[in-house]
Amino acid sequence: MLVAMDPHLLRTYVTVARLASFSEAARELGYTQSAVSQHIAALEQDLGATLLTRRPVAPTSAGERLLEHAGPLLLRLDAARADVVRLAAAPAHGLTLAAAPTALGPRVLAALPAAGVTLKVLSRDAIPAAVATGGADLGLVDGLAAPSDPLRLPDVAPLSTRGAGEEPVCVLLPAAHPLARRPGLRLGDLVDARWLDAPDAGLPLAQLRAAGGGLGFRPALRYEGTDLRALTALAVAGHGLTLLPRPAATGVPGGVAVPVTEPRLVHRTELVHSGSLQGAAGELAVALTSGEGSPDAGS
């Protein structure tokens, strides 16, 4: 049964499947190749199914299904361990904050203590997992939402969230773009435009599609990175439009930030944490969430 599955065997299987090699998995895990083979054989015997073909090394259909379960299961185990260690450990000096690039607006930066903070800029999907597994004390995730609506976060562990602010969103255009002189833009008029697909640096196109009815917003160029300045440079150079929080879109040399007027959307930021917050983490959480519902959200 799945509940009796040995997590060590499961981790070995996930590593072999990811690397497509028993020898590479052994090297990464610090096992002998014979031990890795024994782990896979024991797991297959336990489940009564062949999980991997050997030449080449690749998951079978049963193995693919197990991989779908393995990630969340192992993440939950890591989160449980981190949660217990966090409770038992002595209070640490300093803290680690994981944040998406567009979550690091002026108000957030002003709230950071002068010293003792480690800032990790991660993709949005990686932030809840980092908090759950102890890689960060606090997380800041963001995205498009209707005013006052919470964000939809992946269910990786029992995490708590608090609203940390809302602000208008703008389309960043080159100054010479035909729409740059508009006082406002409707997303519905931009579904066939050339867009930048930058899921980890800007606001994801999937969220634009959801807001615009699920169609359009085709990427002209994909940027895989978390550097917001690189994204704005691509937009200003004419490689595609991008949607950003107003502070990130305003003041970009050679660019014009045009507000989105329809549908009514905001850039929402939420604080993610595990368990109760104390010390520096608690103080920063108060500073980050004290402005929730500020007048700027609807301006």
Side-chain angles (χ1 to χ4, degrees):
M1 292 177 62
L2 199 59
V3 294
M5 190 179 301
D6 187 331
H8 297 292
L9 305 185
L10 190 58
R11 288 186 193 280
T12 300
Y13 167 67
V14 170
T15 306
V16 173
R18 174 169 55 85
L19 298 175
S21 169
F22 281 71
S23 59
E24 290 295 326
R27 206 169 359 255
E28 180 172 308
L29 295 170
Y31 298 150
T32 65
Q33 185 169 336
S34 174
V36 169
S37 297
Q38 291 173 17
H39 284 193
I40 299 302
L43 187 59
E44 290 179 327
Q45 183 177 6
D46 181 36
L47 294 176
T50 300
L51 301 175
L52 293 166
T53 59
R54 267 47 176 188
R55 288 192 178 90
V57 176
T60 63
S61 57
E64 290 285 3
R65 182 58 58 86
L66 180 59
L67 286 174
E68 294 176 9
H69 293 284
L73 283 171
L74 292 174
L75 182 56
R76 284 279 182 166
L77 287 173
D78 289 340
R81 184 180 188 280
D83 211 17
V84 173
V85 170
R86 189 184 294 114
L87 287 173
H93 296 289
L95 60 94
T96 299
L97 173 67
T102 43
L104 295 172
R107 193 177 67 81
V108 170
L109 296 177
L112 295 178
V117 175
T118 298
L119 177 62
K120 293 182 178 181
V121 179
L122 304 176
S123 65
R124 287 177 184 82
D125 291 343
I127 292 170
V131 175
T133 57
D137 301 296
L138 299 172
L140 278 175
V141 294
D142 68 338
L144 281 180
S148 300
D149 276 3
L151 299 176
R152 295 181 179 179
L153 301 181
D155 182 20
V156 298
L159 297 176
S160 300
T161 60
R162 307 181 188 186
E166 295 180 352
E167 56 200 357
V169 291
C170 296
V171 179
L172 179 61
L173 306 166
H177 195 282
L179 300 177
R181 297 182 181 276
R182 295 275 189 93
L185 291 169
R186 299 183 304 175
L187 280 185
D189 294 335
L190 301 174
V191 292
D192 295 324
R194 289 164 46 88
W195 284 89
L196 291 167
D197 184 14
D200 296 329
L203 296 175
L205 289 187
Q207 295 184 5
L208 270 70
R209 292 189 190 99
L215 300 174
F217 301 102
R218 293 166 297 189
L221 183 148
R222 180 175 175 86
Y223 169 60
E224 296 183 355
T226 58
D227 188 339
L228 191 54
R229 289 183 299 178
L231 174 60
T232 58
L234 288 168
V236 169
H239 291 289
L241 310 183
T242 188
L243 190 69
L244 294 169
R246 184 169 63 184
T250 303
V252 176
V256 176
V258 182
V260 172
T261 56
E262 187 182 324
R264 190 160 176 248
L265 297 170
V266 295
H267 169 250
R268 180 170 175 84
T269 305
E270 293 185 359
L271 183 74
V272 181
H273 65 93
S274 177
S276 60
L277 293 174
Q278 300 177 352
E283 293 172 5
L284 180 57
V286 170
L288 292 175
T289 59
S290 61
E292 172 73 346
S294 63
D296 186 57
S299 58

